[in-house]
């Protein structure tokens, strides 16, 4: 066990950003090696269906790597003669892409879901449908729920989602590990297939670690990705039960891999990973997806950055404070603003619906944000940035290019 340490608030913030890859030098042309380095920092990439700007799993990579070829992510989800599959989709945080080597580590989680099938409602009453779907996937290969749907009654509840009983059973089979996600269609529909046709044989044949070893590995990975974290932060990263985390933390502390820490302004014990970097400066400039690991645990974001953040996608329009799809703006080691963005693909524009500075933001925040938005637009294949006059940063964005009241940048 290593002696406890004390960190200042700014130091903890820089440790966290370094752990997430914001200290890594950007490559002029990001390669698969760049992608692998970045994935090693984030650990997982959350998947979400919202496509107002860009799919959620592409954005954290962009925030760290800069403009990159998105086919790197697509290639990592396929096996080829030259390269085995690197990523697979599972409930690793929520729905997320995780390194494929985590498949054996997740076996206990899958078994727990299988044992709790009675809590899946209709699934518990549909063993025949379950067997039929497995047989159908085995025969057909990778298939969507739409491909397999046999016309069973659908429910139109829950925000308009049209979940069929077929889809419910398929999701249970995927969560229990009896099916795996082979990929997604261009409409973002899940393709289900047998694990042996998705997971590389070398990974599938690995022994399943004990529950204690699996818990320790997930906490270890969470600690590396956080740099410094409370038990709550470590638990949230892979969405682990409290009792799975406590023992793993104690063992990693005893082994010296986690170092007990106190952080200025934090009222809970924290843990510093022994390999965490503690830079004097972080020169980041990036917009962060609402699903970025830096901000997805909202209490942690507030403690690290004094930044209160709530995603307002599900808030009625008249009750939204900052907008529909709002991205924090990271500059240096601080979050200095937030910007509501939309990719208008039909018109070829990146639309800035609103832009706000945080208290104490530096004077050049508008200029820095404008440059970042220009780069983002180019990466998205959009030829123009259009600024709407909402928020205290909007005038600076407009004035930056002499756009006057036309609302155009570029």
């Amino acid at each position: 066990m290593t002696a406890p340490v004390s960190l200042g608030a700014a130091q903890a913030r820089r440790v966290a950003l370094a752990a997430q890859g914001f200290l890594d030098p950007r490559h002029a042309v990001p390669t698969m090696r760049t992608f692998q380095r970045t994935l090693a920092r984030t650990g997982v990439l959350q998947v979400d269906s919202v496509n107002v700007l860009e799919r959620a799993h592409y954005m954290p990579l962009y925030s760290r790597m800069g403009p990159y070829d998105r086919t790197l992510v697509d290639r990592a989800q396929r096996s080829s003669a030259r390269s085995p599959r690197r990523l697979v989709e599972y409930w690793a945080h929520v729905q997320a892409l995780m390194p494929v080597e985590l498949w054996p580590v997740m076996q206990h989680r899958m078994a727990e879901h299988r044992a709790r099938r009675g809590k899946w409602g209709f699934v518990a009453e549909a063993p025949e449908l379950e067997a039929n779907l497995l047989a159908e996937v085995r025969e057909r290969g990778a298939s969507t729920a739409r491909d397999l749907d046999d016309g069973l009654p659908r429910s139109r509840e829950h925000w308009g989602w049209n979940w069929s009983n077929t889809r419910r059973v398929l999701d249970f089979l995927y969560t229990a590990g009896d099916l795996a996600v082979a990929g997604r269609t261009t409409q973002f529909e899940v393709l289900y297939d047998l694990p042996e046709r998705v997971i590389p044989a070398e990974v599938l044949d690995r022994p399943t670690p004990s529950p204690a070893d699996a818990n320790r590995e997930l906490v270890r990975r969470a600690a590396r990705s956080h740099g410094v974290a409370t038990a709550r932060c470590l638990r949230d990263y892979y969405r682990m039960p409290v009792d799975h985390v406590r023992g793993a933390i104690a063992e990693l502390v005893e082994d010296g891999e986690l170092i007990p820490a106190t952080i200025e302004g934090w009222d809970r014990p924290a843990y510093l990973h022994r390999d965490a970097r503690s830079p004097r400066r972080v020169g980041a400039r990036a917009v962060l997806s609402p699903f970025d690991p830096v901000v997805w645990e909202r209490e942690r974001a507030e403690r690290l950055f004094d930044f209160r953040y709530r995603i307002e996608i599900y808030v009625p329009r008249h009750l939204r404070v900052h907008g529909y799809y709002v991205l924090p703006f990271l500059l240096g080691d601080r979050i200095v603003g937030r910007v509501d963005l939309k990719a208008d693909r039909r018109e070829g524009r990146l639309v800035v619906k609103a832009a706000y500075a945080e208290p104490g933001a530096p004077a050049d925040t508008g200029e820095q944000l404008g440059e970042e938005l220009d780069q983002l637009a180019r990466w998205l294949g959009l030829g123009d940035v259009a600024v709407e006059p909402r928020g205290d940063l909007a005038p600076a964005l407009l004035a930056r290019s002499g756009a006057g009241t036309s609302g155009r940048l570029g």
Side-chain angles (χ1 to χ4, degrees), residues 138-292:
R138 186 173 292 108
E139 181 178 341
R140 295 171 59 123
S143 306
T144 68
R146 190 187 304 274
D147 295 330
L148 298 165
D149 201 332
D150 61 358
L152 289 169
R154 293 173 180 266
S155 169
R156 296 183 178 274
E157 300 170 356
H158 307 299
W159 294 88
W161 285 94
N162 203 6
W163 298 105
S164 68
N165 287 334
T166 296
R167 176 61 186 265
R168 291 191 186 101
V169 174
L170 287 169
D171 279 347
F172 166 74
L173 291 170
Y174 146 70
T175 305
D178 297 313
L179 290 176
V181 174
R184 288 179 179 262
T185 68
T186 54
Q187 289 77 39
F188 211 59
E189 292 179 286
V190 173
L191 286 161
Y192 303 88
D193 205 347
L194 302 179
E196 56 264 35
R197 295 200 289 242
V198 175
I199 309 300
E202 184 272 329
V203 174
L204 206 58
D205 292 342
R206 291 178 188 175
T208 298
S210 70
D213 286 345
N215 293 336
R216 191 162 50 249
E217 179 61 19
L218 292 177
V219 171
R220 174 184 291 117
R221 287 175 179 250
R224 286 175 178 163
S225 292
H226 271 323
V228 64
T230 65
R232 174 172 173 160
C233 300
L234 296 173
R235 174 193 173 197
D236 179 74
Y237 213 84
Y238 290 97
R239 294 292 168 92
M240 301 173 68
V242 174
D243 57 333
H244 289 191
V245 173
R246 287 197 190 106
I249 290 176
E251 291 175 15
L252 291 170
V253 168
E254 182 65 27
D255 292 343
E257 189 166 351
L258 293 186
I259 303 168
T262 56
I263 302 175
E264 177 189 3
W266 293 30
D267 58 3
R268 295 178 184 171
Y271 303 91
L272 177 72
H273 193 273
R274 68 184 174 198
D275 297 331
R277 294 174 292 178
S278 182
R280 292 172 178 252
R281 179 180 177 275
V282 175
R285 191 186 75 184
V287 287
L288 304 176
S289 161
F291 307 105
D292 192 291

Side-chain angles (χ1 to χ4, degrees), residues 335-397:
I335 293 177
V336 299
R338 57 187 93 200
V339 57
D340 184 15
L341 296 178
K342 177 181 179 180
D344 184 344
R345 298 173 181 90
R346 179 177 296 180
E347 298 295 329
R349 305 183 306 170
L350 176 62
V351 182
V352 182
K353 307 291 289 183
Y356 300 89
E358 288 297 294
D364 66 342
T365 295
E367 178 68 24
Q368 294 283 350
L369 177 59
E371 291 180 9
E372 187 62 30
L373 295 178
D374 284 348
Q375 178 179 267
L376 176 62
R378 288 191 294 271
W379 179 64
L380 294 173
L382 303 172
D384 193 20
V385 180
V387 182
E388 296 182 2
R390 182 178 176 217
D392 56 358
L393 281 179
L397 293 177

Side-chain angles (χ1 to χ4, degrees), residues 291-309:
F291 307 105
D292 192 291
V294 170
V295 294
W296 69 27
E297 213 292 306
R298 308 309 192 200
E299 180 182 296
R300 176 178 172 84
E302 194 161 349
R303 290 177 183 276
L304 281 173
F305 300 99
D306 194 23
F307 179 74
R308 183 173 174 79
Y309 184 45

